[in-house]
Amino acid sequence: MSTVGPGEATELWLRWKRAHEIVRAAVIAETTAASGVSEPELGVLVCLHESGGSLRQNALAAALGWDRTRLSHLLTRMADRGYVARDKVPNGVEVALCPAGRHVIDATLPTLETATRRHLLDRLGPDDAKTLKALMDGLLSGEGVADEAKTGAPNAGP
């Protein structure tokens, strides 16, 4: 439970939003320039990379928080460029990284690491990264966060 006073919640939200926008824009600009792919394409490649190289299309859409139609159109373009392959499997479609997609992500990860350090971690104190991680874990721990945003009701889960 928060101990933030009246009006402070809005101020905190606006500061968090502005900090996120500044850091995100800087990291994305460097990373997309180095990779030669768009931010959405990079998001797909990173998600597939983190999952071990393949995911069901519906799981990929859920992980990215995207509409399935948007993802389908993007995957068609990415398949045409040789970054991913889609295969029909029972009850769905499997999306897999292709060698060209693996090459892009492998070549881009060092830039992502460097940009994240420069624009986020280097601006924090020595223990702040651990604190930030703990705060983010706390915010992300509630499975119902998205449901709460849709319904306005807090998640009653664990």
Side-chain angles (χ1 to χ4, degrees):
M1 186 64 85
S2 172
T3 58
V4 174
E8 291 179 88
T10 300
E11 180 186 349
L12 183 58
W13 164 252
L14 293 173
R15 284 173 171 258
W16 178 49
K17 186 175 181 302
R18 183 70 181 139
H20 167 264
E21 290 167 350
I22 289 169
V23 172
R24 181 181 176 280
V27 171
I28 292 299
E30 286 186 32
T31 309
T32 55
S35 68
V37 297
S38 68
E39 179 185 357
E41 289 171 325
L42 188 57
V44 167
L45 294 174
V46 167
C47 197
L48 289 172
H49 175 78
E50 288 179 340
S51 73
S54 66
L55 271 177
R56 289 283 183 114
Q57 187 167 321
N58 61 350
L60 182 58
L64 294 167
W66 291 357
D67 176 82
R68 290 179 296 173
T69 303
R70 175 187 183 201
L71 179 60
S72 181
H73 290 298
L74 180 62
L75 290 174
T76 297
R77 292 190 302 275
M78 292 179 74
D80 290 345
R81 294 175 69 188
Y83 295 143
V84 299
R86 289 191 292 183
D87 294 310
K88 290 189 183 214
V89 294
N91 300 318
V93 175
E94 186 81 13
V95 182
L97 275 174
C98 289
R102 284 188 191 280
H103 175 73
V104 168
I105 198 66
D106 288 343
T108 304
L109 286 176
T111 302
L112 177 59
E113 178 75 15
T114 300
T116 301
R117 284 189 179 282
R118 179 173 30 263
H119 299 292
L120 178 65
L121 298 179
D122 290 353
R123 295 179 176 188
L124 303 176
D127 296 325
D128 291 343
K130 288 179 185 174
T131 301
L132 181 60
K133 183 181 183 310
L135 291 169
M136 294 301 112
D137 288 348
L139 289 171
L140 296 171
S141 68
E143 285 182 30
V145 170
D147 293 334
E148 184 178 330
K150 290 178 188 172
T151 65
N155 181 23

